[in-house]
Each structure stands twice: as structure tokens, then as C-alpha cells.
Amino acid sequence: MIPVTKPYLPAREKLDKYIDGIYEREWLTNNGPLVQELTKRLEEYLGVENLLLVSNGTLALQIAYRALGVSTTNRDEKPEAITTPFTFVATASSLKWEGVEPVFADIDPDTWCLDPKNIEKAITPQTKAIVPVHVFGNACEVEAIDEIANKHGLKVIYDAAHAFGVNYKGESLLRHGDAATLSFHATKLFHTIEGGAIVFKRKEDLETAKKMMSFGITGPDAIEELGINAKMNEFQAAMGLCVLDEMEENLKARATVWHRYERELSQSLQLQVKSEDQDYNYAYFPVVFESEERALKITEDLKKNGVSVRRYFYPSLDSVECLGARSPQPISKNIASRILCLPVYTTLEENEQESTLNLLVNSLSN
Ligand SMILES: *Cc1c(COP(=O)(O)O)cnc(C)c1O
């Protein structure tokens, strides 16, 4: 079976060397040397400052909300954050988990990112933040979102889980917002098995978050803040350092697959429209079909022939009961019902790409 994604496994010998070092030092977690090294290397690679490694991308979001004062322990407040319904569930469930009501605003039908026009309409006196997603690595309209946030005194936290390495107007897209969060889950473009990071705009927010992610403990006998445990360990960092070394080849292989799909499919299927001001990381290849029926039929046809495709992102989060949406978001629902992501990963062989495309094209013409 050709899966829709496969975790990237770096050279084993290299990983073993890092693990030997961990055994020698007997330092397994709590801001160890490999976590420090990976922090520095990622800041360099991505072109950012104030990067904080954490244990996963969901806690990255939660800690960003806390450090920026969006979620609070004050029970009299009923904070709200405006976010997109077209994303992985963690974007919105992490808000709800933190006691912040996710208020959905609809997406742009072409870019599939939060539409700034709909953000302003969703603002209430309780709104404290905007949580947009650079979905599939596509840059949101960051200038327009900044302007709305400034005008209304709101924080902006970008869920940038898909935007690793994406540049916008010549610099890292992660520099936008009060914070941008990353996921380093095994299935993501860059991974540490499980892991994540927050890139803060301001150093003082980074410092607050550092305390929060380690129980609020600030010294041998000092507890300064209410905290949680979100520490990355040395084994995660070792994997990250190895994967980072091989990023260029990894990207090259994905770009080949991506461009081949684009060449073959852009005439017949709806693809995501990207800003001219950005580059792309080839993390996903989503396509939108004419109808849900067609998308489901293709899924079946491909599955019968050993190829899996996935409905990312489905269902649209305004349909998920536990998230408590106030109103339906028709554009997101519509795209979510017709979208499929095709297999993209570094070790996807040429004949596998070929057969995936052939199956898809045949199924389309039936
Ligand atoms: C993967 C993902 C997350 C969650 O990250 P984890 O590291 O799995 O906790 C959050 N948001 C988006 C958009 C994601 O794709």
C-alpha cells in the first residue's frame, strides 16, 4: 500500500552517534545539550530568533496562548479567539482546552486560509486573539491580519505547523504574528518523532514561556508561575538534528513529486492558490474535486489499487460538536467535502508516483 505520508528516517549510523553521546553524558532531558544545539541550528536554518522547543505542536499552541495572556486562570473572563475551521483539530481544540472559545470565521475559497474580511465580522468585546493557520504551508494574508489585530488590540498566534521553512517576501514566514507555532510530529516535513516549537516576536514572551513549560519552576527553591510540562527530550532533539542535516535532499525529492503532480493535474483539478510573495516547502499536495461524491469514489478506486489518499481536512471544524461553533462556515465545509491529499514523501518511488497519477486520471475519466 502506498500511504499518503511516511515519516522520514535519517541515516541510522548518524543517529547512533548522537545516542552514544546521550549515554555518555547521562543527560536525558531538561534543556540538555542536544536540545540547545537544535534550538540554535533551527534558528539559523529558519532565519528566526526566540525559538523555543517543546514536546509537541499542540502544547506549542497552548503555551503560546498562555504566554501571550490569551488564556487565563481568571474564571470571570470568557476569552474568545477567532480561528479557521479548515485545519487540523488541534488548532481549535487547544483553544477550547485552554478555556478560550474558538470562534470560527470562514476561509478564502482559493487560498483556503482565513479570510481577513470575515475576521473583523467575528470580533466581539471578548475577543483576545486571532489564530490563523498557514494551511498546507500557504501564507495567510499577514499584512491584513496584522492591521486588524493592531486596530483592535488583539494578539496573533499563527499555527504554522505546515509552514516549516517557508519564506515570505524574502524572510521567514514565522516572523509574523506575536508567535508562530510549529509541529515536529513524525508525519511533518521536519520532525523530532513528537515535538514542536514556538517562535516569539518578543524576547520577554519567550522568557515567560520558558518558565511555563517547565512547571513554572525558576530555581532550586522557586516557583514563579503556574506551569505545565512541555519539555523536549534529548532523544527527540537527536532525531531532529539528523533530519535537519538531510533537509535539502528531503526537500528536493518532495519537490520532484510535487511538480510532477502539478504538471499532470493542474488542468483538470482545483489546486490551492498561493501568494506570489512566498516560496513553498512541498509538504502536501491537496486537490479539490468537482463533488464530494467524486472525491469519495476516487478514494475507493485508489484504495482498491493500493494507493491511499486522505481527506485533509475533514470534517470542517464548525461541524465538530465538542468545539461548539456558533454558526456554519459554508466555504470551509464545501472545500473540506471535496478535498483529498495525494501521497507526498521523500521515498515515494518514481513508479509509485506514476501509478498514483495513472489511477487518478483513469478514475477521473470514468
Ligand atoms: C500536526 C498539527 C498540529 C498538532 O501538532 P502535534 O505536534 O501533532 O501536537 C497542530 N496544528 C496543525 C495545523 C497540524 O497540522
Side-chain angles (χ1 to χ4, degrees), residues 55-59 61 87-88 90-91 133 159 161-162 182-185 187-188 194-196 284 313:
S55 47
N56 63 60
T58 306
L59 278 163
L61 285 163
T87 178
F88 183 61
T91 312
V133 179
D159 183 340
H162 306 164
L182 293 164
S183 163
F184 302 153
H185 181 260
T187 56
K188 301 299 208 276
E194 291 269 3
Y284 301 90
F313 289 96

Side-chain angles (χ1 to χ4, degrees), residues 198-231:
I198 315 167
V199 175
F200 286 104
K201 179 157 282 168
R202 285 169 296 271
K203 179 112 176 126
E204 56 272 29
D205 295 329
L206 169 78
E207 295 304 329
T208 305
K210 266 188 192 164
K211 289 178 207 162
M212 289 178 164
M213 67 172 278
S214 186
F215 314 102
I217 294 174
T218 51
D221 302 307
I223 300 162
E224 242 179 63
E225 297 253 3
L226 189 69
I228 187 91
N229 177 5
K231 291 179 268 103

Side-chain angles (χ1 to χ4, degrees), residues 3 87 108 158 167 357:
T87 178
D108 179 282
Y158 283 103
N167 288 310
L357 273 169

